[in-house]
């Protein structure tokens, strides 16, 4: 009589393949020089797994000890923690179990707006709103404000974070992300629309929340001598970064020396030039110490481009291993872009220049000609919403500020990009506290405009993937030189920038 088949006799490799069919392998991430990396791995809120997926993985792990061990990476490779008492307690439970914590490679810290001291009188505010906020529960917000104050004053978060960083001995990637649940969003919208009347009762601010998160995470990483190498912050506040630099300068060197990938997007447009100028010494210290840097992205609000010299931030530093470089929303001269690209012409595979506005006297064709002629390894270039500074000012001079929503609000990724294919590395707010992993997958956008629904997607990778076959047609429509690219030195339209991206890396505009 033939023996009955048993799932227990299947090899570990086959069982892992079965788990991958339930939920994609969390250890497989988008490489850091693919353009999609920024939206999928760095600037995106962790996506909770589907309920049935989570239940199936949980049930699989309950079957036996062997299955429990095999299923751990699907639950704990990526850990997301809210700044809340429940979130910190959950993080403690994970880190108290070394057989779980040893698998964690990515840590996402989800931070809400902080209440200003003495301005958490939500009950009074609701009483005076004439029903505009009648669906909200004042006690919910008051408990949240009390909890925030208690956690900060007691140092509970720093203690838990320090223990977590000590436990996560395989940690590679750390994110600090801004968090809003639906009730927070409703309240914040009301405060924004009724600022003068409401601010005496309730005030929520991101700057102190960002400062506190940066300070505690940096201290925990440094004290734990964490092995992490990548840091992402899609909604950084310049004053918060400055405060952290002044608070614990001795930690800066250790943290900087570890970095292979740094991605920062500053979302506060107020007095941006002066604030970033003040941060120039900070960036010099970080970038000088970061000898192993492979990928860098520094971005600003699309409608408020930074007006500083590129080297005020990058200080003529040359990284021997740099493979992907990106900036967003910057007024630059052609010579500035050419100079930085030329320093890294032997290693750079991806270049992202989103929302870059060329200054008077510069022309995009000069930049493009240099990239095509001198960038030996360049696989992709992203030019989404590039323009000339004068035309940009004409278009937006009389318009209201349109907020950028980098990941954590709406996604801001090219999706066709490749900021991260060559290095080993939600659109909706995250609302579930019981999930530990984020299930990002590489997206591909078919958007045909720089101003449509996908126009604010943040990603470092190419509209023209490097893996596509090289065209061998006659290329009758392929521009022979930069002078044939149609650059008028005044404005750039969508069709132009798409063609330019392909021309720079030598791909046919008709067949790719």
């Amino acid at each position: 009589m033939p023996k009955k088949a048993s799932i227990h006799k299947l090899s570990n490799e086959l069982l892992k393949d079965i788990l991958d069919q339930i939920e994609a392998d969390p250890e497989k991430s988008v490489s850091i020089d693919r353009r999609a990396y920024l939206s999928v791995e760095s600037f995106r809120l962790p996506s909770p797994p589907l309920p049935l997926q989570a239940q199936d993985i949980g049930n699989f792990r309950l079957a036996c000890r062997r299955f429990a061990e095999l299923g751990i990476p699907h639950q704990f490779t990526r850990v997301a923690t809210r700044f809340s008492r429940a979130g910190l307690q959950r993080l403690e439970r994970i880190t108290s179990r070394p057989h779980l914590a040893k698998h964690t490679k990515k840590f996402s810290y989800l931070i809400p707006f902080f209440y200003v001291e003495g301005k958490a009188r939500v009950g009074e505010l609701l009483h005076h709103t004439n029903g505009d906020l009648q669906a909200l529960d004042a006690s919910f917000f008051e408990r949240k404000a009390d909890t925030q104050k208690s956690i900060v004053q007691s140092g509970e978060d720093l203690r838990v974070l320090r223990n977590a960083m000590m436990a996560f001995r395989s940690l590679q990637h750390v994110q600090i992300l801004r968090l809003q649940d639906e009730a927070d969003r409703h309240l914040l919208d009301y405060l924004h629309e009724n600022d003068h009347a409401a601010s005496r009762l309730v005030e929520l601010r991101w700057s102190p929340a960002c400062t506190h998160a940066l300070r505690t995470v940096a201290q925990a990483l440094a004290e734990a001598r964490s092995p992490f190498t990548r840091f992402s912050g899609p909604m950084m506040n310049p004053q918060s970064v400055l405060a952290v630099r002044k608070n614990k300068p001795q930690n800066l060197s250790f943290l900087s020396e570890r970095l292979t990938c740094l991605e920062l997007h500053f979302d506060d447009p107020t007095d941006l030039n002066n604030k970033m100028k003040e941060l120039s010494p900070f960036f010099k210290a970080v970038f000088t110490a970061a000898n192993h840097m492979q990928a860098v992205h520094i971005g600003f609000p699309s409608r408020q481009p930074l007006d500083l010299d590129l080297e005020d931030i990058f200080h003529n530093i040359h990284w021997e291993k740099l493979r992907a470089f990106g900036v967003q929303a910057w007024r630059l001269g052609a010579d500035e872009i050419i100079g930085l690209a030329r320093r890294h012409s032997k290693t750079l595979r991806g270049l992202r220049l989103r929302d870059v506005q060329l200054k008077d006297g510069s022309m995009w064709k000069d930049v493009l000609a240099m990239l095509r002629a001198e960038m030996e390894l360049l696989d992709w270039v992203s030019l989404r919403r590039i323009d000339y500074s004068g035309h940009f000012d004409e278009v937006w001079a009389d318009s209201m500020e349109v907020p950028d929503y980098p990941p954590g609000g709406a996604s801001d990724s090219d999706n066709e990009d490749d900021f991260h294919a060559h290095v080993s590395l939600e659109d909706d707010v995250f609302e579930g506290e019981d999930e530990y992993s984020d299930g990002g997958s590489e997206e591909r956008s078919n958007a045909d405009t720089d101003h449509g629904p996908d126009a604010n997607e943040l990603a470092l990778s190419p509209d023209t993937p490097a893996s596509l076959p090289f065209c061998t047609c006659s290329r009758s429509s392929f521009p022979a030189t930069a002078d044939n690219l149609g650059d008028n030195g005044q404005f750039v339209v969508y069709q132009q920038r798409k063609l330019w991206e392909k021309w720079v890396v030598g791909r046919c505009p008709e067949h790719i």
Side-chain angles (χ1 to χ4, degrees):
M1 184 175 177
K3 295 182 179 180
K4 291 184 178 180
S6 171
I7 190 174
H8 294 280
K9 293 185 178 181
L10 296 177
S11 68
N12 286 351
E13 290 72 19
L14 189 53
L15 288 170
K16 288 179 180 179
D17 287 342
I18 293 172
L19 284 171
D20 287 347
Q21 298 304 311
I22 301 173
E23 183 183 21
D25 185 351
E27 296 190 3
K28 293 179 181 178
S29 62
V30 180
S31 170
I32 70 168
D33 54 359
R34 290 197 66 81
R35 188 166 160 183
Y37 174 86
L38 198 61
S39 62
V40 175
E41 297 291 347
S42 286
F43 280 8
R44 186 187 214 172
L45 279 169
S47 303
L50 297 174
L52 288 179
Q53 289 179 338
Q55 183 176 345
D56 288 343
I57 296 292
N59 289 339
F60 177 88
R61 292 193 64 226
L62 290 173
C64 63
R65 288 186 177 180
R66 179 185 170 209
F67 287 12
E69 194 69 25
L70 287 172
I72 286 175
H74 284 265
Q75 290 184 305
F76 301 106
T77 294
R78 302 173 182 228
V79 172
T81 296
R82 283 176 178 250
F83 177 89
S84 67
R85 185 146 285 131
L88 293 171
Q89 288 172 351
R90 185 169 294 108
L91 181 60
E92 273 200 296
R93 290 199 295 273
I94 296 171
T95 56
S96 67
R97 295 168 171 81
H99 69 292
L100 303 180
K102 71 179 182 180
H103 290 276
T104 300
K105 296 182 178 180
K106 181 177 180 180
F107 175 68
S108 302
Y109 199 25
L110 312 177
I111 310 297
F113 285 76
F114 274 14
Y115 286 87
V116 173
E117 181 70 28
K119 292 191 176 182
R121 293 147 59 189
V122 181
E124 292 182 52
L125 178 66
L126 297 186
H127 180 71
H128 293 93
T129 58
N130 298 320
D132 291 344
L133 298 176
Q134 61 182 356
L136 301 184
D137 178 6
S139 63
F140 166 80
F141 295 101
E142 289 165 353
R143 285 195 304 272
K144 181 180 287 189
D146 290 341
T147 300
Q148 284 181 3
K149 184 176 180 180
S150 173
I151 290 174
V152 171
Q153 290 182 345
S154 68
E156 177 184 354
D157 55 336
L158 177 58
R159 177 185 61 80
V160 174
L161 286 169
R162 186 189 294 115
N163 291 339
M165 297 307 110
M166 289 180 176
F168 293 157
R169 302 321 301 171
S170 299
L171 189 65
Q172 298 175 4
H173 189 177
V174 176
Q175 292 176 299
I176 293 179
L177 303 172
R178 192 163 72 192
L179 175 71
Q180 294 177 39
D181 58 28
E182 198 58 40
D184 286 334
R185 182 179 294 186
H186 196 175
L187 178 60
L188 284 164
D189 287 345
Y190 180 86
L191 293 174
H192 179 72
E193 294 168 3
N194 302 271
D195 179 59
H196 182 71
S199 61
R200 64 184 182 85
L201 298 175
V202 177
E203 187 175 355
L204 285 161
R205 295 179 58 206
W206 170 240
S207 179
C210 183
T211 300
H212 185 75
L214 277 172
R215 185 174 63 248
T216 52
V217 168
Q219 186 172 342
L221 289 169
E223 292 182 5
R225 313 304 285 179
S226 171
F228 91 106
T229 59
R230 304 169 196 161
F231 180 82
S232 305
M235 292 186 175
M236 291 291 99
N237 184 283
Q239 295 302 105
S240 299
V241 175
L242 190 62
V244 170
R245 173 178 175 261
K246 293 177 178 177
N247 183 57
K248 287 283 185 178
Q250 66 271 26
N251 291 338
L252 190 62
S253 178
F254 167 78
L255 299 176
S256 302
E257 289 170 359
R258 303 209 54 80
L259 287 175
T260 62
C261 180
L262 178 66
E263 295 146 332
L264 302 175
H265 187 93
F266 293 91
D267 74 330
D268 180 7
T270 307
D271 197 24
L272 184 62
N273 292 333
N274 288 330
K275 290 177 180 176
M276 295 308 299
K277 186 71 173 177
E278 194 174 0
L279 278 175
S280 180
F282 165 82
F283 281 108
K284 184 175 184 179
V286 170
F287 290 151
T288 300
N291 294 319
H292 305 292
M293 192 73 80
Q294 298 180 38
V296 177
H297 168 82
I298 304 293
F300 304 96
S302 293
R303 301 294 172 258
Q304 189 72 33
L306 186 70
D307 195 2
L308 287 182
D309 290 346
L310 195 64
E311 302 304 345
D312 283 342
I313 302 299
F314 295 103
H315 298 278
N316 295 295
I317 290 168
H318 172 245
W319 291 292
E320 294 182 355
K321 300 178 181 179
L322 190 69
R323 305 175 81 170
F325 177 85
V327 292
Q328 177 171 0
W330 214 315
R331 298 179 190 267
L332 296 173
D335 58 328
E336 297 181 80
I337 301 171
I338 290 171
L340 190 142
R342 189 168 278 153
R343 286 204 302 275
H344 301 95
S345 61
K346 305 297 184 184
T347 61
L348 207 60
R349 291 181 178 269
L351 178 63
R352 185 172 180 277
L353 302 172
R354 174 174 295 184
D355 293 302
V356 170
Q357 316 299 327
L358 278 196
K359 296 179 179 180
D360 291 345
S362 293
M363 294 193 70
W364 277 110
K365 68 176 184 178
D366 297 329
V367 176
L368 303 176
M370 175 271 162
L371 296 178
R372 180 177 169 87
E374 300 184 32
M375 303 301 289
E376 299 179 1
L377 301 177
L378 198 63
D379 284 336
W380 60 265
V381 60
S382 175
L383 305 174
R384 181 165 291 207
R385 288 196 304 265
I386 62 167
D387 204 349
Y388 285 94
S389 189
H391 181 251
F392 175 88
D393 291 338
E394 289 176 10
V395 171
W396 296 105
D398 298 321
S399 65
M400 294 179 61
E401 171 69 15
V402 179
D404 290 315
Y405 290 107
S411 164
D412 188 23
S413 134
D414 275 88
N415 287 354
E416 322 133 308
D417 283 9
D418 273 303
F419 189 86
H420 304 317
H422 305 275
V423 183
S424 310
L425 256 169
E426 122 191 295
D427 294 347
D428 299 318
V429 292
F430 179 84
E431 295 184 31
E433 279 205 305
D434 295 321
E435 297 80 12
Y436 299 119
S437 63
D438 96 309
S441 62
E442 185 169 353
E443 305 161 304
R444 295 292 172 200
S445 170
N446 294 317
D448 60 356
T449 174
D450 284 343
H451 302 284
D454 297 324
N456 282 317
E457 297 276 305
L458 263 183
L460 294 171
S461 78
D463 287 346
T464 308
S467 58
L468 290 179
F470 197 88
C471 178
T472 58
C473 72
S474 63
R475 303 189 189 184
S476 58
S477 63
F478 200 76
T481 69
D483 290 329
N484 303 125
L485 292 174
D487 181 14
N488 61 16
Q490 298 176 8
F491 58 85
V492 181
V493 299
Y494 169 80
Q495 291 81 3
Q496 281 180 308
R497 75 94 175 165
K498 292 290 286 184
L499 182 148
W500 294 354
E501 288 175 340
K502 297 167 185 175
W503 183 84
V504 164
V505 293
R507 294 184 174 85
C508 173
E510 291 186 357
H511 297 114
I512 294 182

